[in-house]
Amino acid sequence: MKYALFGFGTVGVGVFEMTDRLPELHCEKVLVRTGKVKEAWQTDDVQAILADPSIEAVAEVMGGLRPAYDFVKRCLKAGKSVVTSNKELVAAHGAELLAIA
């Protein structure tokens, strides 16, 4: 399965490294902050991930409510599965996001 990763801090790097060892998972794109793109597999354009039909799922590890809430909501509406470690997001909008999913 191809997935995208939202966030590439300590948690994001850890998720990337752990899933890189699993042949059934492939991180297609990593969403990073504007101006931080250093590799071809990184992007600062969430639309590039939303528009890619090969990306089935997103792992959101950005933290905070903004822009995580907006990005997760858009992913769910685009039919992508979402996994998050963001407790603040789940506490504030979990019921709404679950209904969309």
Side-chain angles (χ1 to χ4, degrees):
M1 172 196 300
K2 291 183 180 179
Y3 78 97
L5 182 59
F6 286 6
F8 207 55
T10 302
V11 175
V13 169
V15 170
F16 183 85
E17 289 174 350
M18 285 178 39
T19 60
D20 191 45
R21 299 179 204 151
L22 303 171
E24 63 273 12
L25 289 177
H26 173 71
C27 186
E28 189 70 15
K29 288 285 181 190
V30 175
L31 183 70
V32 296
R33 292 182 185 175
T34 302
K36 299 289 184 180
V37 175
K38 296 179 181 171
E39 304 288 341
W41 44 267
Q42 294 178 333
T43 184
D44 57 8
D45 180 12
V46 71
Q47 188 58 39
I49 292 167
L50 293 169
D52 187 337
S54 75
I55 296 174
E56 299 177 50
V58 172
E60 184 277 314
V61 294
M62 300 168 71
L65 288 178
R66 300 278 187 231
Y69 166 69
D70 300 315
F71 291 170
V72 166
K73 187 174 178 179
R74 290 172 66 189
C75 286
L76 291 170
K77 287 185 174 189
K80 298 188 185 301
S81 297
V82 176
V83 175
T84 184
S85 64
N86 189 334
K87 294 176 285 299
E88 183 178 11
L89 175 65
V90 172
H93 299 286
E96 174 192 0
L97 296 173
L98 185 60
I100 294 168

Coordinates of all heavy atoms in Angstrom, one line a residue:
M1 N 0.8 -1.2 0.0 CA 0.0 0.0 0.0 C 0.9 1.2 0.0 O 1.9 1.3 0.7 CB -0.9 0.0 1.2 CG -1.7 1.3 1.4 SD -2.4 1.7 3.0 CE -3.5 0.3 3.2
K2 N 0.5 2.2 -0.8 CA 1.2 3.5 -0.8 C 0.5 4.4 0.1 O -0.7 4.5 0.1 CB 1.2 4.0 -2.2 CG 2.1 3.3 -3.2 CD 2.1 3.9 -4.5 CE 3.0 3.1 -5.5 NZ 3.1 3.7 -6.8
Y3 N 1.3 5.1 0.9 CA 0.7 6.1 1.8 C 1.5 7.4 1.8 O 2.6 7.4 1.3 CB 0.6 5.5 3.3 CG 2.0 5.5 4.0 CD1 2.3 6.6 4.9 CD2 2.9 4.5 3.8 CE1 3.5 6.6 5.6 CE2 4.1 4.6 4.5 CZ 4.4 5.6 5.4 OH 5.6 5.6 6.0
A4 N 0.9 8.4 2.4 CA 1.6 9.7 2.5 C 1.7 10.0 4.0 O 0.9 9.6 4.8 CB 0.8 10.8 1.8
L5 N 2.7 10.8 4.3 CA 3.0 11.1 5.7 C 2.9 12.6 5.8 O 3.6 13.4 5.1 CB 4.4 10.6 6.1 CG 5.0 10.8 7.5 CD1 4.1 10.1 8.5 CD2 6.4 10.3 7.5
F6 N 2.1 13.1 6.8 CA 2.0 14.5 7.0 C 2.8 14.9 8.3 O 2.4 14.5 9.4 CB 0.5 14.9 7.3 CG -0.3 14.9 6.0 CD1 0.1 14.5 4.8 CD2 -1.6 15.4 6.1 CE1 -0.7 14.5 3.7 CE2 -2.5 15.4 5.0 CZ -2.0 15.0 3.8
G7 N 4.0 15.5 8.1 CA 4.8 15.8 9.2 C 6.1 15.0 9.1 O 6.1 13.8 8.9
F8 N 7.2 15.7 9.3 CA 8.5 15.0 9.3 C 9.4 15.4 10.4 O 10.6 15.6 10.2 CB 9.1 15.2 7.9 CG 10.1 14.1 7.4 CD1 9.6 12.8 7.4 CD2 11.4 14.4 7.1 CE1 10.5 11.7 7.0 CE2 12.2 13.3 6.6 CZ 11.8 12.0 6.6
G9 N 8.9 15.6 11.6 CA 9.6 15.9 12.7 C 10.1 14.6 13.4 O 10.2 13.6 12.7
T10 N 10.3 14.6 14.7 CA 10.7 13.4 15.4 C 9.8 12.2 15.1 O 10.3 11.1 14.8 CB 10.9 13.7 16.9 OG1 11.8 14.8 17.0 CG2 11.4 12.5 17.6
V11 N 8.5 12.4 15.3 CA 7.6 11.3 15.1 C 7.5 10.9 13.7 O 7.5 9.7 13.3 CB 6.2 11.6 15.7 CG1 5.2 10.5 15.4 CG2 6.2 11.9 17.2
G12 N 7.4 11.8 12.8 CA 7.3 11.6 11.3 C 8.5 10.8 10.8 O 8.4 9.8 10.1
V13 N 9.7 11.2 11.2 CA 10.9 10.4 10.8 C 10.9 9.0 11.3 O 11.2 8.0 10.6 CB 12.2 11.2 11.2 CG1 13.4 10.3 11.1 CG2 12.4 12.5 10.5
G14 N 10.4 8.8 12.6 CA 10.3 7.5 13.2 C 9.3 6.6 12.4 O 9.6 5.5 12.1
V15 N 8.2 7.2 12.1 CA 7.2 6.4 11.3 C 7.7 6.1 9.9 O 7.6 4.9 9.5 CB 5.9 7.2 11.1 CG1 4.9 6.6 10.1 CG2 5.2 7.4 12.4
F16 N 8.4 7.0 9.3 CA 9.0 6.8 8.0 C 10.0 5.6 8.0 O 10.0 4.7 7.2 CB 9.7 8.1 7.5 CG 10.3 8.0 6.1 CD1 9.5 8.2 5.0 CD2 11.6 7.7 5.9 CE1 10.0 8.1 3.7 CE2 12.2 7.6 4.7 CZ 11.4 7.8 3.6
E17 N 10.9 5.7 9.0 CA 11.9 4.7 9.1 C 11.3 3.3 9.5 O 11.8 2.3 8.9 CB 13.0 5.1 10.2 CG 13.8 6.2 9.8 CD 14.8 6.7 10.8 OE1 14.6 6.3 12.0 OE2 15.6 7.6 10.5
M18 N 10.3 3.2 10.3 CA 9.7 2.0 10.7 C 9.0 1.3 9.5 O 9.1 0.1 9.3 CB 8.8 2.1 11.9 CG 9.5 2.3 13.2 SD 8.4 2.6 14.6 CE 7.0 1.5 14.3
T19 N 8.2 2.1 8.8 CA 7.5 1.6 7.7 C 8.3 1.3 6.5 O 7.9 0.5 5.7 CB 6.3 2.5 7.3 OG1 6.8 3.8 6.9 CG2 5.3 2.7 8.4
D20 N 9.5 1.9 6.4 CA 10.4 1.6 5.3 C 10.9 0.2 5.3 O 11.3 -0.4 4.3 CB 11.6 2.6 5.4 CG 12.4 2.6 4.1 OD1 11.8 2.6 3.0 OD2 13.7 2.5 4.2
R21 N 10.8 -0.5 6.5 CA 11.2 -1.9 6.6 C 10.2 -2.9 6.2 O 10.4 -4.0 6.2 CB 11.7 -2.1 8.1 CG 12.8 -1.3 8.5 CD 13.1 -1.6 10.0 NE 13.8 -0.4 10.6 CZ 13.7 -0.1 11.8 NH1 13.1 -0.8 12.7 NH2 14.3 1.0 12.3
L22 N 9.0 -2.4 6.0 CA 7.8 -3.2 5.7 C 7.6 -3.3 4.2 O 7.2 -2.2 3.6 CB 6.6 -2.8 6.4 CG 6.7 -2.7 8.0 CD1 5.5 -2.0 8.6 CD2 6.9 -4.0 8.6
P23 N 7.7 -4.4 3.5 CA 7.6 -4.4 2.1 C 6.2 -4.1 1.6 O 6.0 -3.7 0.5 CB 8.0 -5.9 1.7 CG 7.9 -6.6 3.0 CD 8.1 -5.7 4.1
E24 N 5.2 -4.3 2.5 CA 3.8 -4.1 2.1 C 3.4 -2.6 2.1 O 2.3 -2.2 1.7 CB 2.8 -4.9 2.9 CG 2.8 -4.6 4.3 CD 3.8 -5.4 5.2 OE1 4.7 -6.0 4.6 OE2 3.7 -5.4 6.4
L25 N 4.3 -1.7 2.7 CA 4.0 -0.3 2.8 C 5.1 0.5 2.1 O 6.3 0.2 2.2 CB 4.0 0.2 4.3 CG 2.8 -0.3 5.1 CD1 3.0 0.2 6.6 CD2 1.5 0.3 4.6
H26 N 4.6 1.5 1.4 CA 5.6 2.4 0.7 C 5.1 3.9 0.9 O 4.0 4.2 0.5 CB 5.7 2.1 -0.8 CG 6.5 3.1 -1.5 ND1 7.9 3.1 -1.4 CD2 6.2 4.1 -2.4 CE1 8.3 4.1 -2.2 NE2 7.3 4.7 -2.8
C27 N 6.0 4.7 1.5 CA 5.7 6.1 1.7 C 6.0 6.8 0.3 O 7.1 7.0 -0.1 CB 6.5 6.7 2.8 SG 6.1 8.4 3.1
E28 N 4.9 7.2 -0.3 CA 5.0 7.8 -1.6 C 5.4 9.3 -1.5 O 6.2 9.8 -2.3 CB 3.6 7.7 -2.3 CG 3.6 8.1 -3.8 CD 4.4 7.1 -4.7 OE1 4.7 6.0 -4.3 OE2 4.7 7.6 -5.8
K29 N 4.8 10.0 -0.5 CA 5.1 11.4 -0.4 C 5.1 11.8 1.1 O 4.4 11.2 1.9 CB 4.0 12.3 -1.0 CG 4.1 12.3 -2.5 CD 5.2 13.2 -3.0 CE 5.2 13.2 -4.5 NZ 6.4 13.9 -5.0
V30 N 5.9 12.8 1.5 CA 5.9 13.3 2.8 C 5.6 14.8 2.7 O 6.3 15.5 2.0 CB 7.3 13.1 3.5 CG1 7.3 13.8 4.8 CG2 7.6 11.6 3.6
L31 N 4.6 15.2 3.4 CA 4.2 16.7 3.4 C 5.1 17.4 4.5 O 5.1 17.0 5.6 CB 2.8 16.8 3.7 CG 2.2 18.3 3.7 CD1 2.2 18.8 2.3 CD2 0.9 18.3 4.4
V32 N 5.9 18.3 4.0 CA 6.7 19.1 4.9 C 6.3 20.6 4.8 O 5.6 21.0 4.0 CB 8.2 18.9 4.5 CG1 8.7 17.5 4.7 CG2 8.5 19.4 3.1
R33 N 6.9 21.4 5.7 CA 6.6 22.8 5.7 C 7.1 23.5 4.5 O 8.1 23.1 3.9 CB 7.2 23.5 6.9 CG 6.6 23.1 8.2 CD 7.2 23.8 9.4 NE 6.7 23.2 10.6 CZ 7.1 23.6 11.8 NH1 8.1 24.4 11.9 NH2 6.6 23.0 12.9
T34 N 6.4 24.5 4.1 CA 6.7 25.3 2.9 C 8.2 25.7 3.0 O 8.7 26.2 4.0 CB 5.8 26.6 2.8 OG1 4.5 26.1 2.7 CG2 6.2 27.4 1.6
G35 N 8.9 25.5 1.9 CA 10.3 25.9 1.9 C 11.3 24.8 2.4 O 12.5 25.0 2.4
K36 N 10.8 23.7 2.9 CA 11.6 22.6 3.5 C 11.8 21.4 2.6 O 12.4 20.4 3.1 CB 11.0 22.2 4.9 CG 10.9 23.3 5.9 CD 12.2 23.7 6.4 CE 12.1 24.7 7.5 NZ 13.4 25.1 8.1
V37 N 11.3 21.5 1.4 CA 11.4 20.4 0.5 C 12.9 20.2 0.1 O 13.5 21.1 -0.4 CB 10.5 20.5 -0.8 CG1 10.7 19.4 -1.8 CG2 9.0 20.6 -0.4
K38 N 13.4 19.0 0.4 CA 14.8 18.7 0.0 C 15.0 17.5 -0.9 O 16.0 17.3 -1.5 CB 15.6 18.5 1.3 CG 15.7 19.7 2.2 CD 16.4 19.5 3.4 CE 16.5 20.7 4.3 NZ 17.0 20.5 5.6
E39 N 13.9 16.6 -0.9 CA 14.0 15.4 -1.7 C 12.8 15.3 -2.6 O 11.8 15.9 -2.3 CB 13.9 14.2 -0.7 CG 15.0 14.2 0.4 CD 16.4 13.9 -0.2 OE1 16.5 13.3 -1.3 OE2 17.4 14.2 0.5
A40 N 12.9 14.5 -3.6 CA 11.8 14.4 -4.6 C 10.6 13.8 -4.0 O 9.5 14.0 -4.5 CB 12.3 13.5 -5.8
W41 N 10.7 13.0 -2.9 CA 9.5 12.4 -2.3 C 8.9 13.3 -1.3 O 7.9 12.9 -0.6 CB 9.9 11.0 -1.7 CG 11.2 11.0 -0.9 CD1 12.4 10.6 -1.4 CD2 11.4 11.4 0.4 NE1 13.4 10.8 -0.4 CE2 12.8 11.2 0.7 CE3 10.6 11.8 1.5 CZ2 13.3 11.5 2.0 CZ3 11.1 12.1 2.7 CH2 12.5 11.9 3.0
Q42 N 9.4 14.5 -1.1 CA 8.8 15.5 -0.2 C 8.0 16.5 -1.0 O 8.3 16.8 -2.2 CB 9.9 16.2 0.6 CG 10.6 15.3 1.5 CD 11.7 16.0 2.3 OE1 12.3 17.0 1.8 NE2 12.1 15.5 3.5
T43 N 7.0 17.0 -0.4 CA 6.2 18.1 -1.0 C 5.7 19.0 0.1 O 5.5 18.6 1.2 CB 5.0 17.5 -1.8 OG1 4.3 18.6 -2.5 CG2 4.0 16.8 -0.9
D44 N 5.4 20.3 -0.3 CA 4.8 21.2 0.6 C 3.4 21.5 0.1 O 2.8 22.5 0.5 CB 5.6 22.5 0.8 CG 6.0 23.2 -0.5 OD1 5.4 22.9 -1.6 OD2 6.8 24.2 -0.4
D45 N 2.9 20.7 -0.9 CA 1.6 20.9 -1.5 C 0.7 19.8 -1.2 O 0.8 18.7 -1.8 CB 1.8 21.1 -3.0 CG 0.5 21.3 -3.8 OD1 -0.6 21.5 -3.2 OD2 0.5 21.1 -5.0
V46 N -0.3 20.0 -0.3 CA -1.2 18.9 0.1 C -2.0 18.5 -1.0 O -2.4 17.3 -1.1 CB -2.0 19.4 1.3 CG1 -3.1 20.4 0.9 CG2 -2.7 18.2 2.0
Q47 N -2.3 19.3 -2.0 CA -3.1 19.0 -3.1 C -2.4 17.9 -4.0 O -3.1 17.0 -4.6 CB -3.4 20.2 -4.0 CG -4.4 20.0 -5.1 CD -5.7 19.4 -4.6 OE1 -6.3 19.8 -3.6 NE2 -6.3 18.5 -5.4
A48 N -1.1 17.9 -4.0 CA -0.4 16.8 -4.8 C -0.7 15.5 -4.2 O -0.8 14.5 -4.9 CB 1.1 17.1 -4.7
I49 N -0.9 15.4 -2.9 CA -1.2 14.1 -2.2 C -2.7 13.8 -2.4 O -3.0 12.6 -2.8 CB -0.9 14.2 -0.7 CG1 0.7 14.3 -0.6 CG2 -1.4 13.0 0.0 CD1 1.2 14.7 0.8
L50 N -3.5 14.8 -2.3 CA -5.0 14.5 -2.5 C -5.3 14.1 -3.9 O -6.2 13.2 -4.1 CB -5.8 15.8 -2.2 CG -5.8 16.3 -0.7 CD1 -6.3 17.7 -0.6 CD2 -6.5 15.3 0.2
A51 N -4.6 14.6 -4.9 CA -4.9 14.3 -6.3 C -4.2 13.0 -6.7 O -4.5 12.5 -7.9 CB -4.4 15.4 -7.1
D52 N -3.4 12.4 -5.9 CA -2.7 11.1 -6.3 C -3.5 9.9 -6.0 O -3.6 9.5 -4.8 CB -1.3 11.1 -5.7 CG -0.5 9.9 -6.2 OD1 -1.0 8.9 -6.7 OD2 0.8 10.0 -6.0
P53 N -4.1 9.3 -7.0 CA -5.0 8.1 -6.7 C -4.2 6.9 -6.2 O -4.8 6.0 -5.6 CB -5.6 7.8 -8.0 CG -4.7 8.4 -9.0 CD -4.1 9.6 -8.4
S54 N -2.9 6.9 -6.3 CA -2.1 5.7 -5.9 C -1.9 5.8 -4.3 O -1.6 4.8 -3.7 CB -0.8 5.6 -6.6 OG 0.1 6.6 -6.1
I55 N -2.1 6.9 -3.7 CA -2.0 7.1 -2.3 C -3.3 6.7 -1.6 O -4.3 7.5 -1.8 CB -1.5 8.5 -1.9 CG1 -0.1 8.8 -2.5 CG2 -1.5 8.7 -0.4 CD1 0.4 10.2 -2.3
E56 N -3.3 5.6 -0.9 CA -4.6 5.1 -0.3 C -4.8 5.6 1.1 O -5.9 5.7 1.6 CB -4.6 3.6 -0.3 CG -4.5 3.0 -1.6 CD -4.4 1.4 -1.5 OE1 -5.2 0.9 -0.8 OE2 -3.5 0.9 -2.2
A57 N -3.7 5.9 1.8 CA -3.8 6.3 3.2 C -2.8 7.4 3.5 O -1.9 7.7 2.8 CB -3.5 5.1 4.1
V58 N -3.1 8.1 4.6 CA -2.3 9.2 5.1 C -2.0 8.9 6.6 O -3.0 8.6 7.4 CB -3.0 10.5 4.9 CG1 -2.2 11.7 5.6 CG2 -3.1 10.9 3.5
A59 N -0.8 9.1 7.0 CA -0.4 9.1 8.5 C -0.2 10.6 8.8 O 0.8 11.2 8.3 CB 0.8 8.2 8.7
E60 N -1.0 11.1 9.7 CA -0.9 12.5 10.1 C -0.2 12.5 11.5 O -0.7 12.0 12.5 CB -2.2 13.2 10.2 CG -2.2 14.7 10.6 CD -2.1 14.9 12.0 OE1 -2.8 14.3 12.8 OE2 -1.2 15.8 12.4
V61 N 1.0 13.1 11.5 CA 1.8 13.3 12.7 C 2.3 14.7 12.9 O 3.3 14.9 13.5 CB 3.0 12.2 12.8 CG1 2.4 10.8 12.9 CG2 3.9 12.4 11.6
M62 N 1.6 15.7 12.4 CA 2.0 17.1 12.4 C 1.8 17.7 13.8 O 2.5 18.5 14.3 CB 1.1 17.9 11.4 CG 1.3 17.5 10.0 SD 0.0 18.2 9.0 CE 0.6 19.9 9.0
G63 N 0.7 17.2 14.5 CA 0.3 17.8 15.7 C -0.4 19.1 15.6 O -0.5 19.7 14.5
G64 N -1.1 19.5 16.6 CA -1.9 20.8 16.6 C -3.2 20.7 15.8 O -3.4 19.6 15.2
L65 N -3.9 21.7 15.8 CA -5.2 21.7 15.1 C -5.1 22.3 13.6 O -5.8 21.8 12.7 CB -6.3 22.5 15.8 CG -6.8 21.9 17.1 CD1 -7.8 22.8 17.8 CD2 -7.4 20.5 16.8
R66 N -4.3 23.3 13.5 CA -4.1 23.8 12.1 C -2.7 23.7 11.7 O -1.8 24.0 12.4 CB -4.5 25.3 12.2 CG -5.9 25.6 12.6 CD -6.9 25.4 11.5 NE -8.2 25.9 11.9 CZ -9.3 25.1 11.8 NH1 -9.2 24.0 11.2 NH2 -10.4 25.6 12.2
P67 N -2.5 23.3 10.5 CA -3.5 22.9 9.4 C -3.9 21.5 9.5 O -4.6 21.0 8.5 CB -2.7 23.2 8.2 CG -1.3 22.9 8.5 CD -1.1 23.3 9.9
A68 N -3.5 20.7 10.5 CA -3.8 19.3 10.5 C -5.3 19.0 10.3 O -5.7 18.1 9.5 CB -3.4 18.6 11.8
Y69 N -6.2 19.7 11.0 CA -7.6 19.5 10.8 C -8.1 19.6 9.4 O -8.8 18.8 8.9 CB -8.4 20.4 11.7 CG -9.9 20.5 11.4 CD1 -10.7 19.4 11.7 CD2 -10.4 21.6 10.9 CE1 -12.1 19.5 11.4 CE2 -11.8 21.7 10.6 CZ -12.6 20.6 10.9 OH -13.9 20.7 10.6
D70 N -7.7 20.7 8.8 CA -8.1 21.0 7.4 C -7.6 19.9 6.5 O -8.3 19.4 5.6 CB -7.6 22.3 6.9 CG -8.1 23.5 7.8 OD1 -9.4 23.5 8.0 OD2 -7.4 24.3 8.1
F71 N -6.3 19.5 6.6 CA -5.7 18.5 5.8 C -6.4 17.1 6.0 O -6.7 16.4 5.0 CB -4.2 18.4 6.0 CG -3.4 19.6 5.6 CD1 -2.1 19.7 5.9 CD2 -4.0 20.6 4.8 CE1 -1.3 20.8 5.5 CE2 -3.2 21.7 4.4 CZ -1.9 21.8 4.8
V72 N -6.6 16.7 7.2 CA -7.2 15.4 7.5 C -8.7 15.4 6.9 O -9.1 14.4 6.3 CB -7.2 15.1 9.0 CG1 -8.1 13.9 9.3 CG2 -5.8 14.8 9.4
K73 N -9.4 16.4 7.1 CA -10.8 16.5 6.6 C -10.8 16.4 5.1 O -11.6 15.6 4.5 CB -11.4 17.8 7.0 CG -12.9 17.9 6.7 CD -13.4 19.2 7.3 CE -14.9 19.4 7.0 NZ -15.4 20.6 7.6
R74 N -9.9 17.1 4.4 CA -9.8 17.0 2.9 C -9.4 15.6 2.5 O -9.9 15.1 1.5 CB -8.8 18.0 2.4 CG -9.3 19.4 2.6 CD -8.3 20.5 2.2 NE -7.9 20.4 0.8 CZ -6.9 21.1 0.3 NH1 -6.2 21.9 1.0 NH2 -6.7 21.0 -1.0
C75 N -8.5 14.9 3.2 CA -8.1 13.6 2.9 C -9.3 12.6 3.0 O -9.5 11.8 2.1 CB -7.0 13.1 3.8 SG -5.4 13.8 3.4
L76 N -10.0 12.7 4.1 CA -11.2 11.8 4.3 C -12.3 12.1 3.2 O -12.8 11.1 2.6 CB -11.8 12.1 5.7 CG -10.9 11.6 6.8 CD1 -11.5 12.1 8.1 CD2 -10.8 10.1 6.8
K77 N -12.5 13.3 2.8 CA -13.5 13.6 1.8 C -13.0 13.1 0.4 O -13.8 12.8 -0.4 CB -13.7 15.1 1.7 CG -14.6 15.6 2.9 CD -15.0 17.0 2.8 CE -16.0 17.4 3.9 NZ -16.5 18.7 3.7
A78 N -11.7 13.0 0.3 CA -11.1 12.5 -1.0 C -11.1 10.9 -1.0 O -10.6 10.3 -1.9 CB -9.7 13.0 -1.2
G79 N -11.6 10.3 0.1 CA -11.6 8.9 0.1 C -10.4 8.2 0.6 O -10.3 6.9 0.5
K80 N -9.5 8.9 1.2 CA -8.3 8.3 1.8 C -8.5 7.9 3.2 O -9.1 8.6 4.0 CB -7.1 9.3 1.6 CG -6.8 9.6 0.1 CD -5.6 10.4 -0.1 CE -5.4 10.9 -1.5 NZ -5.3 9.8 -2.5
S81 N -7.9 6.8 3.6 CA -7.9 6.4 5.0 C -6.9 7.3 5.8 O -5.8 7.7 5.2 CB -7.5 5.0 5.2 OG -8.4 4.2 4.5
V82 N -7.1 7.6 7.0 CA -6.2 8.5 7.8 C -6.0 7.8 9.1 O -6.9 7.3 9.8 CB -6.8 9.9 8.0 CG1 -5.9 10.7 8.9 CG2 -7.1 10.6 6.7
V83 N -4.7 7.8 9.5 CA -4.2 7.4 10.8 C -3.6 8.6 11.5 O -2.8 9.3 10.8 CB -3.2 6.3 10.7 CG1 -2.6 5.9 12.1 CG2 -3.8 5.1 10.1
T84 N -3.9 8.9 12.7 CA -3.3 10.1 13.4 C -2.8 9.8 14.8 O -3.4 8.9 15.4 CB -4.3 11.3 13.4 OG1 -3.6 12.4 13.9 CG2 -5.5 11.0 14.2
S85 N -1.8 10.4 15.2 CA -1.3 10.4 16.6 C -1.7 11.7 17.3 O -1.3 11.9 18.4 CB 0.2 10.2 16.6 OG 0.9 11.3 16.0
N86 N -2.5 12.5 16.7 CA -2.8 13.8 17.1 C -4.0 13.8 18.1 O -5.1 13.9 17.7 CB -3.1 14.7 15.9 CG -3.2 16.2 16.2 OD1 -3.5 16.6 17.3 ND2 -2.9 17.0 15.2
K87 N -3.7 13.8 19.4 CA -4.7 13.7 20.4 C -5.6 15.0 20.4 O -6.8 15.0 20.7 CB -4.1 13.5 21.8 CG -3.5 12.1 21.9 CD -2.8 11.8 23.2 CE -1.5 12.5 23.3 NZ -0.4 12.2 22.4
E88 N -4.9 16.1 20.2 CA -5.7 17.4 20.2 C -6.7 17.4 19.1 O -7.8 17.8 19.3 CB -4.7 18.6 20.0 CG -5.4 19.9 20.1 CD -4.4 21.1 20.0 OE1 -3.2 20.9 19.7 OE2 -4.8 22.2 20.3
L89 N -6.3 16.9 17.9 CA -7.2 16.9 16.8 C -8.4 15.9 17.0 O -9.6 16.3 16.8 CB -6.5 16.4 15.5 CG -7.3 16.1 14.3 CD1 -7.9 17.4 13.7 CD2 -6.4 15.5 13.2
V90 N -8.1 14.8 17.6 CA -9.2 13.8 17.9 C -10.1 14.4 19.0 O -11.3 14.2 18.9 CB -8.6 12.5 18.3 CG1 -9.6 11.5 18.8 CG2 -7.8 11.8 17.2
A91 N -9.6 15.0 20.0 CA -10.4 15.6 21.1 C -11.3 16.7 20.5 O -12.5 16.7 20.9 CB -9.5 16.1 22.2
A92 N -10.8 17.5 19.7 CA -11.6 18.6 19.2 C -12.5 18.3 18.0 O -13.6 18.8 17.9 CB -10.6 19.8 18.7
H93 N -12.1 17.4 17.2 CA -12.9 17.1 15.9 C -13.1 15.6 15.6 O -13.5 15.3 14.5 CB -12.2 17.8 14.7 CG -12.1 19.2 14.9 ND1 -13.2 20.1 14.7 CD2 -11.0 20.0 15.1 CE1 -12.8 21.3 14.8 NE2 -11.5 21.3 15.1
G94 N -12.8 14.7 16.6 CA -12.9 13.3 16.3 C -14.2 12.8 15.8 O -14.3 12.1 14.9
A95 N -15.3 13.3 16.5 CA -16.6 12.8 16.1 C -17.0 13.3 14.7 O -17.5 12.5 13.8 CB -17.7 13.3 17.1
E96 N -16.6 14.5 14.3 CA -16.9 15.0 13.0 C -16.1 14.2 11.9 O -16.6 13.8 10.9 CB -16.5 16.5 12.9 CG -16.6 17.1 11.5 CD -16.0 18.4 11.4 OE1 -15.4 19.0 12.4 OE2 -16.0 19.0 10.2
L97 N -14.8 14.0 12.2 CA -14.0 13.3 11.3 C -14.4 11.9 11.1 O -14.4 11.3 10.0 CB -12.5 13.4 11.7 CG -11.9 14.8 11.7 CD1 -10.5 14.8 12.3 CD2 -11.9 15.4 10.3
L98 N -14.8 11.2 12.2 CA -15.3 9.9 12.1 C -16.6 9.8 11.3 O -16.7 8.9 10.5 CB -15.6 9.3 13.5 CG -16.0 7.9 13.6 CD1 -14.9 7.0 13.1 CD2 -16.3 7.5 15.1
A99 N -17.4 10.8 11.4 CA -18.7 10.8 10.5 C -18.3 10.9 9.1 O -19.0 10.3 8.2 CB -19.6 11.9 11.0
I100 N -17.3 11.7 8.7 CA -16.9 11.9 7.4 C -16.3 10.6 6.8 O -16.6 10.2 5.7 CB -15.9 13.0 7.2 CG1 -16.5 14.4 7.5 CG2 -15.3 13.1 5.8 CD1 -15.6 15.5 7.7
A101 N -15.5 9.9 7.7 CA -14.9 8.7 7.3 C -15.9 7.6 7.0 O -15.8 6.8 6.2 CB -13.9 8.2 8.4

